[in-house]
Amino acid sequence: MRRLRLAALLGVLLLLLPLAAAAGAAAKAPAAPPAPPNVTTAMAKGGCKAFADLIASSPDAASTYQSAVGGGVTVFCPTDDAVRAFMPRYRNLTAEGKAEVLLFHAVPVYYSRGSLKSNNGVMNTLATDGAAKNYNFTVQNEGDAVTIKTAASQDVARVKSTVLDADPVAIFTVDSVIEPVELFKPAPAPSPAPAADAPKAASKAAHHPAPVVADAPGPAATDSPPADQKKEANKSAAAGAPSCVRWFAATVAAAVVMASTLA
Ligand SMILES: *[C@@H]1O[C@H](CO)[C@@H](O)[C@H](O)[C@H]1NC(C)=O
Ligand SMILES: *[C@@H]1O[C@H](CO)[C@@H](O)[C@H](O)[C@H]1NC(C)=O
Ligand SMILES: *[C@@H]1O[C@H](CO)[C@@H](O)[C@H](O)[C@H]1NC(C)=O
Ligand SMILES: *[C@@H]1O[C@H](CO)[C@@H](O)[C@H](O)[C@H]1NC(C)=O
């Protein structure tokens, strides 16, 4: 009798258990914060499919983007056209460089479209890592437009459409890839090319007169007036090719002087 009752009680309890669990889950659900948006999915839907694909194919970038979402993030995703134009240079980068370029397009702070206009200036990015890797850019207002500039380029990226603007995540499109100066040096002044050629030319010129100078004192040294010889040597050193002719003339002159002295 007692055993039967116990069994019945147990049966009832077992029946109630799943119900209780379901009720608990149902009660919990509303309290949990809404799932953070999937930034790559949002980007792809908003006109940055190519950029989202690049992030998805870089494990470093993908995990950093997704973990930044919770703390607030503003993403500036280049449009598909902008990414297409940049691809030859992107492919040239190392895996680390690629991840850094991708992370360079997000700031670890949520800025609404409106606050972006008033909070401009130098901003650190997800690629920033201490002082060694500044990876910052400058946000500026140009009339109604918000632009992003780095020292790597004279061109600016323009902030275009709003893909998502819901605290803590904002995603805006930009019309070009933003180039970090850490990876893309500004075009150098045209001076290095001639500078590289100059020493070559100089050494060539210096090379030629060398034997002339070494030989010249030989025959002329004893009897030629020192001033003339010095002048002659200086001329040969400076003049290059024709110096051979001059040296010959000088030697002949010296020989004539010597001959006339002997005679
Ligand atoms: C976001 O969506 C992409 C594509 O659907 C998926 O591969 C990725 O795992 C998602 N990320 C997260 C954190 O859910
Ligand atoms: C790729 O890198 C090489 C070597 O640094 C360079 O010569 C070439 O111009 C680069 N190509 C592009 C498209 O940047
Ligand atoms: C931004 O980065 C540059 C180098 O890339 C650095 O010289 C400068 O100090 C940085 N600015 C700030 C405010 O961190
Ligand atoms: C040799 O020429 C250089 C310039 O080419 C000049 O400065 C120097 O005074 C000259 N020396 C002599 C001894 O003429």
Side-chain angles (χ1 to χ4, degrees):
M1 220 32 194
R2 225 174 162 178
R3 249 178 156 177
L4 250 168
R5 245 191 251 154
L6 211 78
L9 196 72
L10 234 119
V12 170
L13 274 176
L14 278 174
L15 274 171
L16 285 176
L17 213 66
L19 283 176
K28 241 188 203 164
N38 183 322
V39 280
T40 49
T41 304
M43 271 186 241
K45 280 186 191 153
C48 300
K49 169 99 172 69
F51 193 72
D53 286 349
L54 291 180
I55 292 174
S57 62
S58 168
D60 273 2
S63 64
T64 306
Y65 261 93
Q66 204 55 46
S67 57
V69 165
V73 69
T74 303
V75 182
F76 300 96
C77 68
T79 58
D80 290 351
D81 282 349
V83 171
R84 197 174 306 123
F86 184 72
M87 277 317 282
R89 302 171 68 200
Y90 182 80
R91 283 194 206 98
N92 233 9
L93 297 169
T94 61
E96 193 190 4
K98 283 173 181 159
E100 283 166 348
V101 166
L102 299 172
L103 294 173
F104 190 58
H105 285 74
V107 173
V109 177
Y110 163 71
Y111 291 110
S112 67
R113 182 98 196 196
S115 69
L116 196 59
K117 284 204 155 192
S118 47
N119 281 292
N120 50 26
V122 177
M123 291 184 184
N124 284 334
T125 66
L126 295 185
T128 302
D129 185 9
K133 294 187 171 185
N134 281 296
Y135 282 99
N136 61 48
F137 54 55
T138 305
V139 176
Q140 295 170 318
N141 295 330
E142 270 185 27
D144 259 1
V146 175
T147 63
I148 298 174
K149 185 166 172 42
T150 74
S153 173
Q154 290 303 307
D155 301 326
V156 295
R158 281 164 206 288
V159 175
K160 296 291 196 181
S161 61
T162 301
V163 173
L164 179 71
D165 188 350
D167 197 350
V169 180
I171 304 176
F172 307 112
T173 65
V174 286
D175 65 356
S176 68
V177 169
I178 314 163
E179 296 175 13
V181 74
E182 284 77 5
L183 292 174
F184 302 97
K185 299 279 175 284
S191 53
D197 277 343
K200 231 192 204 163
S203 75
K204 230 188 231 162
H207 204 118
H208 189 81
V212 175
V213 171
D215 285 1
T222 33
D223 289 298
S224 286
D228 277 351
Q229 187 201 330
K230 223 176 167 187
K231 215 166 137 197
E232 214 52 49
N234 204 38
K235 259 191 202 156
S236 338
S243 65
C244 304
V245 177
R246 286 212 184 90
W247 172 78
F248 184 72
T251 309
V252 170
V256 169
V257 169
M258 218 187 288
S260 65
T261 312
L262 286 172

